[in-house]
Amino acid sequence: MEVFLLKALQLILSLSILVIVHEFGHFIFARMFKVRVEKFYLFFDPWFELFKFKPKNSETEYGIGWLPLGGYCKISGMIDESMDKEQMAQPPQPHEFRSKPSGQRLLIMTAGVLFNFILALFIYSMILFTWGDTYLPLKNIKMGMAYGDTFKSVGFEDGDILLKADDKDLERLNTAFRSVVEANIVTVRRNGSELGIVIPDDMMQRVMRDKQFFAVERYPMVAEQCDGDHSPAALAGILHGDTIISIDGIMTPTVYDVSEQLEKKKDREITVGIVRNSDFRSLTLHTDSTGRMGLYFQSPYQLYATVKVEYGFFESFPAGIRLGVNTLKGYVSDMKYVFTKEGASSLGGFGTIGSLFPSVWNWRSFWMTTAFLSIILAFMNILPIPALDGGHVLFLVYEVVARRKPSDKFLEYAQIAGMVVLFGLLIYANGNDLFRLLFNK
């Protein structure tokens, strides 16, 4: 429950930041062109709101709604989610959106998307400036990778070290997946020799169908510290730097092998083989009811040689922009899979989004996830679907090309249709989350 609440808090905080920035983009451009903004709300407020205030001499009411599905900026003279038909039935006023030139209206409608994308670039830049960029080169992972069954079925084996996807060098695990599934041939190092693995054309569909992971680093279990003086590991005498190489005589070269053996030995006395200062020792301990030893072990970032790139303040901006643009390109490239059977079944709602956040508070991870979600929000909002910014842009482009506006009645129907589609997708995506939760899929 504690992990759930922490992830939920991060999700709400992140989405609140993104919604406020998005709506502020609409707000600031509307005011720039002297368009009246009647409401500026975080979250939606059907029937009632949690909080509202209207500054003296201000035309705008600010508030917080009770339905945390986004937010809105109610702009006078515009058909939006408020569906204010009464206002639209009146003659156009100079301060209304519909009275402004098409170019100004276009800027007002695209400003939210623009602000979200700029926010993502700024966050990425500040992450690089504050923490730098530390990564573990794939070639430095001496024990190679452990692969999911879907990748094993096409020829990968545990221990393979990823080298190339076609002619592209593979440098990092977190960016290798897309290159691997879209490649024709992936080159790996196996037992000291290089060999090529042919990747099927439908590899991505297979991964989504099987819901299998790609790969994780293989590394030995090296003790970092015990979980208290009375943990099984501490009582057995395991010390910092000890490498666990066997459980009850069964060799366990990696942390995954150790975990696999401990899963079979819950609340039991076991013999643990360790290497300490190049000497082999045998220790006896009693696992707890979950099969744990009460031991924190070192991560691959501690065991293998990493690379750290540091950025000055001004250097961080072009690097952040590159990172943001590449992230957007990757996300757009993945969108083609959404329209497949496997892609549709993989769609997720708030549960899936919340799972992107770490289970312990980490500011770098929080901001990385927030920047990624900002990119997603920007892209999704510019899609030409009525009720989204992209839908309004589509009708504005039609107006410029056809030299006449769509009728207000048509725009009302389009808005309703778009909202039905969006709510349908929302229900479907969150239904997928619930299905996976209930049936563990």
Side-chain angles (χ1 to χ4, degrees):
M1 179 58 74
E2 182 180 343
V3 171
F4 171 80
L5 292 175
L6 182 60
K7 286 178 176 281
L9 175 63
Q10 293 179 87
L11 174 62
I12 293 173
L13 176 59
S14 178
L15 291 182
S16 297
I17 293 170
L18 301 184
V19 168
I20 289 173
V21 169
H22 180 91
E23 300 304 334
F24 182 72
H26 294 310
F27 176 88
I28 197 68
F29 271 76
R31 298 306 298 134
M32 186 186 304
F33 297 128
K34 298 184 175 13
V35 175
R36 181 178 298 170
V37 179
E38 299 175 10
K39 284 187 173 184
F40 187 101
Y41 265 66
L42 172 64
F43 307 149
F44 293 112
D45 61 330
W47 305 296
F48 69 94
E49 62 284 320
L50 299 179
F51 168 79
K52 69 177 180 179
F53 78 100
K54 189 173 184 180
K56 187 177 180 180
N57 300 323
S58 174
E59 300 171 334
T60 306
E61 175 184 294
Y62 302 88
I64 300 176
W66 61 271
L67 188 60
L69 297 179
Y72 70 100
C73 181
K74 188 178 185 307
I75 298 173
S76 291
M78 176 181 170
I79 296 176
D80 57 12
E81 56 271 13
S82 67
M83 297 301 293
D84 191 348
K85 298 180 182 180
E86 183 178 340
Q87 182 185 79
M88 299 303 295
Q90 303 300 318
Q93 301 298 314
H95 63 264
E96 290 185 339
F97 175 82
R98 54 181 167 166
S99 300
K100 301 301 178 180
S102 57
Q104 293 183 7
R105 283 181 281 138
L106 181 63
L107 288 173
I108 292 171
M109 291 316 308
T110 56
V113 168
L114 178 63
F115 271 46
N116 275 134
F117 187 59
I118 291 174
L119 174 66
L121 301 183
F122 178 76
I123 291 175
Y124 280 135
S125 299
M126 291 301 95
I127 288 172
L128 294 176
F129 171 65
T130 305
W131 290 283
D133 181 16
T134 300
Y135 67 96
L136 175 57
L138 289 168
K139 64 182 180 181
N140 291 355
I141 306 173
K142 303 305 180 184
M143 296 183 74
M145 316 301 297
Y147 297 89
D149 291 340
T150 306
F151 288 88
K152 289 181 179 179
S153 70
V154 300
F156 289 92
E157 294 183 4
D158 288 344
D160 287 350
I161 299 174
L162 294 165
L163 299 178
K164 291 184 178 182
D166 292 330
D167 295 325
K168 178 183 177 181
D169 290 334
L170 297 175
E171 182 72 9
R172 313 183 189 206
L173 178 59
N174 64 343
T175 58
F177 171 72
R178 187 177 292 106
S179 298
V180 168
V181 297
E182 295 181 351
N184 295 312
I185 296 178
V186 172
T187 304
V188 301
R189 180 176 293 115
R190 181 182 299 169
N191 300 323
S193 301
E194 293 187 10
L195 60 92
I197 298 173
V198 178
I199 305 299
D201 293 337
D202 64 342
M203 192 64 193
M204 179 65 87
Q205 286 85 343
R206 296 189 189 194
V207 174
M208 291 187 294
R209 178 197 63 206
D210 299 341
K211 296 179 173 58
Q212 281 282 314
F213 71 95
F214 167 40
V216 292
E217 304 94 339
R218 296 176 80 240
Y219 56 101
M221 181 175 280
V222 179
E224 177 66 14
Q225 66 181 48
C226 297
D227 186 15
D229 294 337
H230 299 289
S231 68
L235 294 174
I238 293 180
L239 303 177
H240 171 82
D242 288 349
T243 302
I244 297 174
I245 63 170
S246 67
I247 302 290
D248 283 344
I250 299 175
M251 299 305 295
T252 54
T254 73
V255 294
Y256 310 108
D257 298 311
V258 175
S259 299
E260 182 180 1
Q261 291 304 312
L262 291 178
E263 181 66 24
K264 305 173 184 177
K265 304 177 186 296
K266 299 176 181 179
D267 194 19
R268 286 176 54 181
E269 187 173 280
I270 61 173
T271 301
V272 180
I274 67 168
V275 172
R276 179 183 298 167
N277 299 326
S278 301
D279 295 327
F280 175 79
R281 301 189 183 199
S282 183
L283 304 175
T284 301
L285 61 79
H286 199 108
T287 61
D288 65 17
S289 59
T290 63
R292 293 189 177 95
M293 298 185 293
L295 180 69
Y296 295 106
F297 50 88
Q298 296 181 21
S299 75
Y301 277 71
Q302 294 171 278
L303 298 172
Y304 298 124
T306 59
V307 173
K308 182 173 183 179
V309 182
E310 295 186 343
Y311 296 89
F313 181 74
F314 294 105
E315 294 173 318
S316 67
F317 287 98
I321 291 172
R322 285 194 299 271
L323 179 55
V325 170
N326 289 335
T327 301
L328 176 61
K329 287 180 179 178
Y331 185 75
V332 173
S333 174
D334 289 345
M335 281 299 293
K336 61 178 175 286
Y337 300 112
V338 171
F339 302 101
T340 65
K341 177 183 176 181
E342 296 82 5
S345 65
S346 298
L347 286 175
F350 292 111
T352 298
I353 298 173
S355 68
L356 298 175
F357 292 94
S359 55
V360 295
W361 193 276
N362 181 288
W363 278 113
R364 185 182 186 279
S365 297
F366 171 81
W367 287 117
M368 283 292 290
T369 305
T370 299
F372 178 59
L373 293 179
S374 195
I375 294 240
I376 293 176
L377 183 61
F379 176 75
M380 296 301 292
N381 260 286
I382 205 62
L383 292 177
I385 300 174
L388 293 178
D389 294 343
H392 293 285
V393 170
L394 177 66
F395 297 135
L396 277 170
V397 171
Y398 167 81
E399 177 185 333
V400 171
V401 174
R403 296 186 178 180
R404 64 186 180 91
K405 293 182 179 181
S407 69
D408 288 346
K409 186 60 67 176
F410 171 82
L411 293 177
E412 287 177 13
Y413 288 147
Q415 184 75 17
I416 293 171
M419 291 175 69
V420 170
V421 170
L422 292 179
F423 275 112
L425 288 173
L426 187 66
I427 293 170
Y428 176 78
N430 285 282
N432 275 349
D433 283 345
L434 184 60
F435 182 83
R436 285 190 284 264
L437 177 64
L438 294 177
F439 297 97
N440 196 29
K441 291 189 176 183

